Amino acid sequence: MAKYIVVAGGVMSGVGKGVTTASIGKILQEHGYKVTAIKIDPYLNYDAGTLRPTEHGEVWVTDDGGEIDQDLGTYERFLDMDIPRKNNITTGQVYKTIIDRERQGEYLGQTVQFIPHIPDEIKRRIKDTSNDFDFVLIEVGGTIGDYENIPFLFAAKSLEREIGKHNLSYVLVTYLPIPSHIEEMKTKPTQQAIRLLSESGIFPDFIICRAKKALDIVRKKKIETYANIISEHVISEPDIETVYQIPLDLEKEKLGEKILKEFGMKSKKQPNWNEWKKLVENILNPKKNVKVAIVGKYIDIGDYNLADSYISINQSLLHAGASLGIGVDIDWLDSKKFEDNKKNLNELKNYDGIIVPGGFGASGVEGKIMAAGFARENKIPYLGLCYGLQLAVVEFARNVCGLKDANTTEVEPKTKNPVIDVQPAQREILEKHMYGGTMRLGAYAAVMKEKTQVLRLYQETGRLHEDTKRIQELMKDKSQTFRLGILEKGKKIVLERHRHRYEVNPKYVNLLEKNGMVFSGYYERFDKTKLMEYIEMPGQFMIGTQAHPEFKSRLGNPSPMFYGFVKACISNH
Ligand code: GLN
């Protein structure tokens, strides 16, 4: 049976609970255990698909099409594994399930109540993620003392009663401020958090103390006495330069061994942090730096569908850089400045590479198209992510194929040359398969063209092999085979995650190809429609993908597209 570790946060939000949870997971993995992690979000939204990114950070997309809080992304980046959507539990999901059940008469006349029905449903969802894992980490969102997370603490307590305390541990991640006017680290807010947690009957087994500095003996003792736990279980987690240092720092305090001991367990293997240390070292002291421009729209904060939080892209560049010993400096350029004055495009010459990331809506689009054109003409390495592919296609259609009015119907619904468009048949399928929207969401297979730059990148990074295993898993699950589409035997297949509505219009593919654009991979739906997944320009690094490869980049296992891009930036340096 799985062991559970409940991680709750005290004092305030933003102390790094997600990263701490991921780090504990990484540590237990290094000690030889199979680990997964759950994020509990105490809001009433069913998922994060409709949340404003400027408030909640970017939406994370899972292989199985979940739109989720970005903490799941942190787990995947640390644990190097694909985590399914069911590992995100929201209050909205819990209530919806219960109300739906009640409407279907499944409670047979019972009064449906907070207790026991809500904690029971939470427990059912938690256990449902456990499969054959040794450890399940459960990060409770929000801060102790919030009304919203009480049901989840109650459920944890109830799970503890059910499976026994020896199978469940509590970790409190807290914050110790050093107010500037007294320059002394204060433990009082942590004491309050401990007291608030005890109101739910929970006494932490470990207290992880986030602060500017490591705790001294005096503060550790204070917390030890107040929380009634041994001081070895009060662990410092001081500010650091890169989050990937955290597992190493926590291991300096022997957190792995201590947690295992708490469960009466021992390490299954001697942890080997050499590889991880080397990557961290590369992040901290790169041999060389390249400079990348990310051209997006950054100011329309009132816009609902703003996709302008780019944590995953940031992380993907960091991972690719770490593997290559290269630091990547990022400048965020507002595409509208190119629309205001074409001369501003020359600024792009100062960069080793250009990224046009995902986005929605019409604002800033012309500027992004101009940037794509500038990259193509000046042979500056270019990586187009989703919208970045679509707009590079629009640019190529206009300026190389001579279709002056080419556009995406997202921006110009009546354009005569809709090179990017929603596919009618696809919309039908989407509506049948997905709830909550009409997006193509989650992992889709791409059949790769031989001898292309993109295929080479997947080979070079070992992703082709990894994806073959994953494809076999997907084949077994009938509800997911639409993600693979038609796969011809002997073809090379890769998987990336998607989140978009529009596609390269199949009617224009021939014309674009004739003019020199290479489509390096496609997804073939069961009705034989081929959707283009990758573009590249021969003789230069100008690559685009309809997917979001940034969702599958991990430290030590970088995304092929980003890896290739950073390498191209070095050559262009
Ligand atoms: N707006 C485009 C679409 O929906 C691109 C989306 C994206 O970049 N994620 O197809």
Side-chain angles (χ1 to χ4, degrees):
M1 196 192 75
K3 312 273 181 199
Y4 296 89
I5 300 177
V6 179
V7 182
V11 180
M12 61 183 196
S13 63
V15 294
K17 238 182 322 139
V19 169
T20 306
T21 306
S23 299
I24 296 174
K26 174 74 194 163
I27 290 171
L28 292 169
Q29 261 185 351
E30 253 333 294
H31 283 265
Y33 289 95
K34 279 188 78 180
V35 181
T36 191
I38 304 176
K39 173 71 193 296
I40 286 174
D41 282 311
Y43 45 65
L44 277 163
N45 301 62
Y46 193 84
D47 60 28
T50 54
L51 288 176
R52 186 175 288 124
T54 41
E55 206 174 297
H56 284 267
E58 134 203 288
V59 174
W60 180 257
V61 179
T62 59
D63 261 1
D64 56 356
E67 296 177 280
I68 288 181
D69 184 282
Q70 41 152 323
D71 279 310
L72 239 59
T74 309
Y75 307 157
E76 289 199 15
R77 288 191 280 265
F78 275 75
L79 303 177
D80 192 6
M81 61 192 277
D82 300 318
I83 296 180
R85 74 198 306 173
K86 66 181 178 187
N87 285 39
N88 179 231
I89 305 175
T90 71
T91 303
Q93 291 165 18
V94 172
Y95 275 80
K96 186 169 186 311
T97 308
I98 291 174
I99 291 169
D100 286 350
R101 241 186 243 150
E102 187 270 337
R103 289 291 79 189
Q104 282 154 15
E106 284 182 35
Y107 290 104
L108 298 170
Q110 276 179 56
T111 310
V112 183
Q113 286 177 304
F114 181 81
I115 293 174
H117 297 107
I118 298 285
D120 280 355
E121 174 57 16
I122 296 171
K123 280 191 294 181
R124 185 191 68 75
R125 284 175 177 264
I126 290 176
K127 286 188 215 152
D128 189 39
T129 66
S130 309
N131 302 339
D132 53 350
F133 290 105
D134 301 311
F135 284 98
V136 179
L137 290 145
I138 307 167
E139 179 188 346
V140 183
T143 309
I144 297 305
D146 292 349
Y147 291 120
E148 292 93 338
N149 54 30
I150 292 173
F152 296 99
L153 297 175
F154 199 90
K157 197 66 199 163
S158 158
L159 183 63
E160 176 202 314
R161 209 163 30 241
E162 205 178 296
I163 61 176
K165 180 66 188 72
H166 57 288
N167 286 317
L168 188 145
S169 237
Y170 297 101
V171 174
L172 174 67
V173 182
T174 179
Y175 188 75
L176 289 95
I178 307 178
S180 53
H181 61 289
I182 36 178
E183 286 298 334
E184 184 200 332
M185 188 184 279
K186 295 307 234 178
T187 61
K188 186 70 77 195
T190 296
Q191 295 177 21
Q192 310 277 16
I194 294 165
R195 207 191 70 207
L196 278 169
L197 199 53
S198 73
E199 283 173 11
S200 297
I202 293 175
F203 301 92
D205 301 297
F206 292 90
I207 299 181
I208 299 194
C209 300
R210 290 277 304 108
K212 225 183 215 151
K213 296 191 244 171
L215 264 63
D216 56 14
I217 302 288
V218 182
R219 313 300 120 166
K220 274 201 174 180
K221 282 277 170 212
K222 251 193 187 167
I223 294 174
E224 171 194 271
T225 324
Y226 198 88
N228 216 3
I229 77 176
I230 50 175
S231 57
E232 288 86 71
H233 284 199
V234 181
I235 311 273
S236 282
E237 194 189 305
D239 287 354
I240 26 72
E241 273 176 69
T242 164
V243 292
Y244 298 107
Q245 255 173 290
I246 294 175
L248 302 174
D249 284 357
L250 294 177
E251 271 298 71
K252 275 186 208 144
E253 301 219 26
K254 298 206 179 322
L255 184 63
E257 268 173 38
K258 288 176 188 172
I259 290 179
L260 289 172
K261 194 164 164 228
E262 181 72 19
F263 285 104
M265 295 161 84
K266 284 204 171 86
S267 309
K268 264 197 195 159
K269 77 174 190 44
Q270 183 64 31
N272 179 355
W273 291 100
N274 292 345
E275 192 54 32
W276 192 269
K277 270 188 190 152
K278 206 175 95 201
L279 293 162
V280 168
E281 180 52 33
N282 283 354
I283 294 173
L284 297 177
N285 300 306
K287 289 195 288 280
K288 196 179 178 173
N289 281 56
V290 292
K291 226 172 126 186
V292 168
I294 301 189
V295 178
K297 59 165 189 187
Y298 299 106
I299 35 183
D300 294 337
I301 287 172
D303 192 336
Y304 197 72
N305 251 330
L306 213 64
D308 290 357
S309 293
Y310 297 122
I311 302 162
S312 302
I313 297 181
N314 227 321
Q315 290 289 309
S316 303
L317 290 169
L318 186 84
H319 299 159
S323 288
L324 292 159
I326 296 292
V328 182
D329 301 328
I330 303 171
D331 276 349
W332 310 88
L333 302 188
D334 187 348
S335 61
K336 287 199 184 121
K337 70 151 79 155
F338 306 136
E339 297 170 8
D340 296 343
N341 186 349
K342 217 174 150 198
K343 286 205 185 105
N344 290 336
L345 279 169
N346 283 319
E347 243 181 69
L348 291 172
K349 285 203 171 134
N350 304 332
Y351 293 93
D352 303 311
I354 299 169
I355 293 181
V356 172
F360 292 86
S363 120
V365 155
E366 284 303 321
K368 293 183 197 174
I369 294 174
M370 289 161 91
F374 193 83
R376 184 178 56 75
E377 282 171 357
N378 294 287
K379 294 204 173 2
I380 304 173
Y382 176 91
L383 178 61
L385 304 167
C386 203
Y387 221 8
L389 168 141
Q390 297 175 355
L391 300 177
V393 169
V394 171
E395 189 278 321
F396 190 80
R398 285 183 187 173
N399 300 327
V400 179
C401 307
L403 308 174
K404 290 282 169 256
D405 51 2
N407 215 333
T408 160
T409 49
E410 178 168 1
V411 174
E412 182 49 65
K414 297 214 168 72
T415 174
K416 284 217 194 64
N417 283 300
V419 287
I420 306 293
D421 197 7
V422 176
Q423 295 306 294
Q426 182 200 343
R427 175 163 273 161
E428 260 167 50
I429 292 187
L430 286 171
E431 278 164 4
K432 262 188 255 158
H433 279 298
M434 311 291 180
Y435 49 96
T438 52
M439 294 224 217
R440 185 143 80 104
L441 279 170
Y444 281 85
V447 179
M448 301 304 289
K449 194 177 210 152
E450 291 293 342
K451 298 201 177 82
T452 53
Q453 296 180 55
V454 178
L455 174 60
R456 241 173 279 133
L457 292 175
Y458 279 84
Q459 282 165 328
E460 201 182 320
T461 45
R463 283 285 176 116
L464 221 44
H465 166 69
E466 239 176 66
D467 279 353
T468 310
K469 276 201 295 192
R470 190 84 180 96
I471 284 158
Q472 278 156 2
E473 277 167 34
L474 281 174
M475 275 182 180
K476 285 191 208 128
D477 183 350
K478 285 274 167 289
S479 71
Q480 298 292 306
T481 48
F482 72 94
R483 300 192 173 283
L484 301 172
I486 302 175
L487 297 181
E488 270 174 69
K489 269 224 158 66
K491 295 272 187 195
K492 301 201 168 67
I493 315 291
V494 305
L495 285 168
E496 294 285 3
R497 296 178 191 170
H498 291 244
R499 186 174 190 255
H500 60 104
R501 293 191 178 85
Y502 295 80
E503 308 282 349
V504 176
N505 190 338
K507 287 183 207 139
Y508 287 89
V509 168
N510 266 341
L511 179 72
L512 292 159
E513 269 177 339
K514 250 191 240 146
N515 281 282
M517 181 168 268
V518 173
F519 291 96
S520 359
Y522 61 83
Y523 160 69
E524 187 169 7
R525 281 187 348 209
F526 289 127
D527 70 359
K528 297 220 163 91
T529 311
K530 285 183 180 168
L531 302 177
M532 295 304 123
E533 294 284 9
Y534 295 96
I535 58 164
E536 62 185 71
M537 294 303 301
Q540 69 185 100
F541 191 97
M542 173 130 197
I543 281 180
T545 167
Q546 191 53 82
H548 287 282
E550 64 270 27
F551 293 135
K552 284 187 79 160
S553 171
R554 289 93 190 246
L555 187 66
N557 183 5
S559 159
M561 309 281 292
F562 285 88
Y563 182 84
F565 175 71
V566 174
K567 262 176 106 172
C569 289
I570 306 167
S571 315
N572 184 40
H573 188 63

